[in-house]
């Protein structure tokens, strides 16, 4: 598989050479392949958001370099010629509804494509497509974004990024503050984009259930370092280590542990609801066969 | 921008950090007035020595301090140049069209340069060693006499402390919005003037709506916690006049007196 993103010894220091200097990334080396669904987890202040802002070249490394879709970004990369590159990396920030500003929903979604040189007609076409993707009704097109509900505003903001048709989509806690239904809809949209449109997805989240349900690859951040990289089932094995990283188990695994303490043994902790159901069904079946 | 220290706070425990904010505010004000009384090399020398001493007492390294006020040097140089080129009086050393340089204007320019530097330095020391909230409290204490003429001192102090507290929050939000719009293909800070003004719209509209939302949430939260008016409140943070304040005032008053004496020479 092709590498979409590869970081090499990336370090980032905020306000370098002042008493306010703060080391946010510390020698991070990692690769993310094309079409992968990567979750980045870690406690608050571990450097997750700083990391993803490098992928879009919004921040540049203090030392080290990264290669995103063939574009090499080093500490000396200038802001010139980054526009075309940024089109390929869509970035949905935390609480993206804060970035809405146009008079109408459709205009706001068209804003991105038009910045990248699309004509009015092309922009409208991709905006309408994006609205459909995020599940916004066509009738909202000419409403003011400030009249919408929080969940709808969030979707307009995400549509504004999707309308640019990026190859990599970065979602920084896209479901924070949403109700369970809005949460599932956004996560399912991410899954659809990943599986049907083969978009490379990077998700920052604190929800371990989302990690095990959606991600194929997990990066654990701690104090500015990528301390563990691998598929979800290798991440959630060492409980003591997880506790040290201030991370939780997914709820299915948590439940399975309670079953364990009641005397039911699992050879491997089930991470998703489906795995848990399978294991329990197996055990019940075994028991039935026994009797 | 990140090296710019004017108006920032640097935590510490120095003599100056622990002075009461009202006396620091008044001292800086007094110092600025004294600067305008200085009129010769002796008095400026004395004031410069005092400011160096103050910076040393604040625990901020001089090198870092000088680096931090460097961005302001262009403003000073510009003003000094205007003064040097356009003032009259004294022996003309050089002239070209409307510009002329005289020995008097050179001396005046030099004094203005030192004045600017001293004023910027004392106010930078003030903000570096005093938290914004303490400054707001200090302003409230200093303005207290104005209550007699029905000036809403408490309301002003409240507005000031809320404004100061939200400066970093709004800066953070601006940064996020800036980045979010950049990710959507906005080019800030390049192109023609018209283009730049247009690029500010996607930044300003969300910033203003955000500020209005903050105001609405904050006022609701304040009401819910029993806030009705800014008068008739007790205070949590109390800054008492301390011995160290008295000492500092004695030093500054002595220097001020000496400056008045030097005027005659």
């Amino acid at each position: 598989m092709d590498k979409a993103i590869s970081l090499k010894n990336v370090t980032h220091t905020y306000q370098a050479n002042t008493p306010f200097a703060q080391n946010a990334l510390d020698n991070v080396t990692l690769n993310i392949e094309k079409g992968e669904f990567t979750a980045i987890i870690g406690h608050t202040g571990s450097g997750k958001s700083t990391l993803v802002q490098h992928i879009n070249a919004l921040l540049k490394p203090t030392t080290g370099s990264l290669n995103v879709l063939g574009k090499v970004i080093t500490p000396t990369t200038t802001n010139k010629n980054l526009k075309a590159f940024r089109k390929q990396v869509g970035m949905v920030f935390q609480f993206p509804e804060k970035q809405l500003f146009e008079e109408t929903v459709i205009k706001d979604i068209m804003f991105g494509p038009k910045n990248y040189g699309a004509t009015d007609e092309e922009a409208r076409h991709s905006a309408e497509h994006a609205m459909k993707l995020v599940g916004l009704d066509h009738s909202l097109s000419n409403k003011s974004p400030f009249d919408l509900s929080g969940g709808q505003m969030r979707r307009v903001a995400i549509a504004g990024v999707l309308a640019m048709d990026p190859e990599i989509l970065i979602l920084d806690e896209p479901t924070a503050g949403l109700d369970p239904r809005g949460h599932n809809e956004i996560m399912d949209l991410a899954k659809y984009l990943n599986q049907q449109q083969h978009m490379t997805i990077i998700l920052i989240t604190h929800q371990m259930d989302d990690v095990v349900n959606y991600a194929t690859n997990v990066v654990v951040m701690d104090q500015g370092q990528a301390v563990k990289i691998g598929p979800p089932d290798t991440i959630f094995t060492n409980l003591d280590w997880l506790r040290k990283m201030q991370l939780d188990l997914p709820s299915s695994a948590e439940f399975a542990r309670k079953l364990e303490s009641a005397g039911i043994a699992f050879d491997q902790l089930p991470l998703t609801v489906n795995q848990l159901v399978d294991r329990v069904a197996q055990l019940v079946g075994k028991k039935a066969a026994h009797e | 921008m990140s090296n710019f220290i004017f108006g920032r706070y640097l935590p510490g425990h120095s003599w100056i950090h622990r002075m009461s904010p009202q006396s620091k505010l008044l001292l800086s004000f007094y110092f600025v007035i004294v600067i305008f009384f200085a009129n010769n090399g002796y008095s400026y020398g004395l004031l410069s020595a005092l400011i160096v001493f103050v910076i040393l007492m604040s625990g901020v390294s001089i090198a870092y301090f000088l680096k931090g006020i460097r961005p302001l040097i262009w403003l000073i140089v510009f003003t000094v140049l205007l003064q040097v080129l356009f003032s009259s009086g004294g022996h003309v050393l050089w002239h070209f069209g409307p510009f002329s340089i005289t020995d008097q204007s050179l001396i005046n320019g030099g004094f203005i340069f030192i004045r600017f530097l001293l004023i910027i330095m004392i106010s930078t020391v003030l903000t570096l060693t005093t938290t914004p909230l303490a400054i707001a409290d200090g302003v409230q204490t200093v303005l207290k006499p104005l209550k007699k003429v029905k000036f809403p001192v408490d309301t002003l102090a409240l507005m000031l402390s809320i404004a100061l507290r939200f400066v970093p929050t709004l800066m953070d939000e601006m940064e996020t919005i800036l980045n979010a719009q950049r990710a959507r293909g906005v080019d800030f800070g390049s192109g023609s003037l018209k283009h730049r003004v247009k690029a500010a719209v996607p930044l300003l509209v969300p910033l203003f709506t955000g500020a209005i939302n903050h105001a609405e949430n904050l006022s609701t939260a304040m009401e819910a916690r029993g806030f009705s008016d800014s008068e008739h409140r007790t205070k949590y943070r109390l800054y008492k006049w301390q011995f160290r304040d008295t000492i500092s005032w004695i030093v500054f008053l002595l220097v001020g007196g000496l400056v008045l004496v030097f005027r005659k020479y």
Side-chain angles (χ1 to χ4, degrees), chain A residues 5-105:
Chain A
I5 301 161
S6 92
L7 284 82
K8 219 168 140 191
N9 304 105
V10 170
T11 301
H12 189 91
T13 311
Y14 284 111
Q15 308 195 30
N17 305 324
T18 74
F20 304 101
Q22 224 180 352
N23 213 354
L25 286 185
D26 188 7
N27 211 7
V28 175
T29 297
L30 75 104
N31 296 308
I32 291 172
E33 270 145 26
K34 259 187 192 154
E36 205 152 19
F37 196 129
T38 302
I40 301 183
I41 57 178
H43 57 87
T44 315
S46 56
K48 308 184 293 290
S49 294
T50 307
L51 176 72
V52 294
Q53 287 186 44
H54 278 82
I55 298 170
N56 203 343
L58 286 170
L59 293 176
K60 277 146 217 156
T62 312
T63 59
S65 70
L66 61 159
N67 184 327
V68 181
L69 299 170
K71 170 98 184 167
V72 180
I73 301 160
T74 63
T76 54
T77 304
T78 57
N79 276 321
K80 278 182 188 167
N81 313 322
L82 278 181
K83 212 168 153 176
F85 165 69
R86 288 209 177 115
K87 182 192 176 303
Q88 299 172 288
V89 186
M91 172 111 184
V92 179
F93 281 82
Q94 276 173 49
F95 301 103
E97 55 274 23
K98 279 188 184 166
Q99 73 198 38
L100 303 176
F101 72 99
E102 283 279 16
E103 297 140 49
T104 62
V105 166

Side-chain angles (χ1 to χ4, degrees), chain B residues 199-221:
Chain B
V201 175
L203 175 65
L204 290 180
V205 174
L207 203 58
F208 274 104
T209 52
I212 292 169
N213 281 337
H214 278 310
E216 212 171 296
N217 292 338
L218 182 68
S219 56
T220 314

Side-chain angles (χ1 to χ4, degrees), chain B residues 41-63:
Chain B
Y42 297 116
S43 41
Y44 279 119
L46 184 64
L47 291 177
S48 309
L50 178 63
I51 207 77
V52 170
F53 179 67
V54 167
I55 295 172
L56 286 176
M57 290 293 282
S58 73
V60 184
S61 90
I62 298 236

Side-chain angles (χ1 to χ4, degrees), chain A residues 260-289:
Chain A
E260 265 183 343
S261 59
I264 299 169
F266 295 91
D267 28 303
Q268 201 189 0
L269 266 188
L271 295 177
T272 64
V273 175
N274 284 342
Q275 284 174 15
L276 178 68
V277 168
D278 284 351
R279 293 298 297 144
V280 170
Q282 251 177 36
L283 288 170
V284 172
K286 231 186 245 167
K287 207 174 172 201

Side-chain angles (χ1 to χ4, degrees), chain A:
Chain A
M1 268 202 272
D2 280 344
K3 285 190 178 58
I5 301 161
S6 92
L7 284 82
K8 219 168 140 191
N9 304 105
V10 170
T11 301
H12 189 91
T13 311
Y14 284 111
Q15 308 195 30
N17 305 324
T18 74
F20 304 101
Q22 224 180 352
N23 213 354
L25 286 185
D26 188 7
N27 211 7
V28 175
T29 297
L30 75 104
N31 296 308
I32 291 172
E33 270 145 26
K34 259 187 192 154
E36 205 152 19
F37 196 129
T38 302
I40 301 183
I41 57 178
H43 57 87
T44 315
S46 56
K48 308 184 293 290
S49 294
T50 307
L51 176 72
V52 294
Q53 287 186 44
H54 278 82
I55 298 170
N56 203 343
L58 286 170
L59 293 176
K60 277 146 217 156
T62 312
T63 59
S65 70
L66 61 159
N67 184 327
V68 181
L69 299 170
K71 170 98 184 167
V72 180
I73 301 160
T74 63
T76 54
T77 304
T78 57
N79 276 321
K80 278 182 188 167
N81 313 322
L82 278 181
K83 212 168 153 176
F85 165 69
R86 288 209 177 115
K87 182 192 176 303
Q88 299 172 288
V89 186
M91 172 111 184
V92 179
F93 281 82
Q94 276 173 49
F95 301 103
E97 55 274 23
K98 279 188 184 166
Q99 73 198 38
L100 303 176
F101 72 99
E102 283 279 16
E103 297 140 49
T104 62
V105 166
I106 191 87
K107 266 188 173 173
D108 205 285
I109 303 175
M110 285 162 65
F111 179 70
K114 278 176 77 174
N115 278 329
Y116 291 115
T119 63
D120 263 8
E121 205 176 318
E122 287 163 356
R124 184 169 293 271
H125 184 76
S126 33
E128 275 164 2
H129 179 67
M131 277 180 79
K132 211 177 282 168
L133 273 179
V134 299
L136 281 171
D137 196 75
H138 189 70
S139 62
L140 294 174
S141 289
N142 292 316
K143 273 202 162 181
S144 161
F146 298 106
D147 289 340
L148 303 180
S149 73
Q152 282 172 325
M153 280 167 87
R154 177 83 48 101
R155 275 184 243 177
V156 173
I158 295 176
V161 173
L162 289 180
M164 303 186 300
D165 194 23
E167 282 179 48
I168 299 174
L169 181 67
I170 302 168
L171 300 158
D172 192 347
E173 293 186 47
T175 62
L178 289 188
D179 58 20
R181 193 167 149 200
H183 175 109
N184 289 343
E185 281 172 0
I186 301 248
M187 288 313 300
D188 287 340
L189 169 67
K191 188 177 175 182
Y192 168 83
L193 292 170
N194 179 241
Q195 294 189 342
Q196 308 298 318
Q197 316 257 336
H198 308 293
M199 222 178 252
T200 308
I201 307 263
I202 295 170
L203 169 79
I204 295 183
T205 183
H206 289 289
Q207 315 255 329
M208 297 308 136
D209 283 350
D210 287 346
V211 176
V212 290
N213 285 332
Y214 297 97
T216 53
N217 187 26
V218 184
V219 177
V220 182
M221 297 286 296
D222 182 51
Q223 291 176 13
Q225 291 179 314
V227 283
K228 206 164 182 178
I229 305 164
D233 44 345
T234 63
I235 298 290
F236 295 101
T237 47
N238 187 341
L239 294 181
D240 292 331
W241 181 82
L242 283 170
R243 200 158 297 138
K244 217 177 82 198
M245 294 289 117
Q246 300 177 38
L247 295 173
D248 289 329
L249 277 177
S251 47
S252 302
E254 203 66 67
F255 184 70
R257 281 196 57 215
K258 287 198 178 119
L259 289 179
E260 265 183 343
S261 59
I264 299 169
F266 295 91
D267 28 303
Q268 201 189 0
L269 266 188
L271 295 177
T272 64
V273 175
N274 284 342
Q275 284 174 15
L276 178 68
V277 168
D278 284 351
R279 293 298 297 144
V280 170
Q282 251 177 36
L283 288 170
V284 172
K286 231 186 245 167
K287 207 174 172 201
H290 230 66
E291 280 164 8

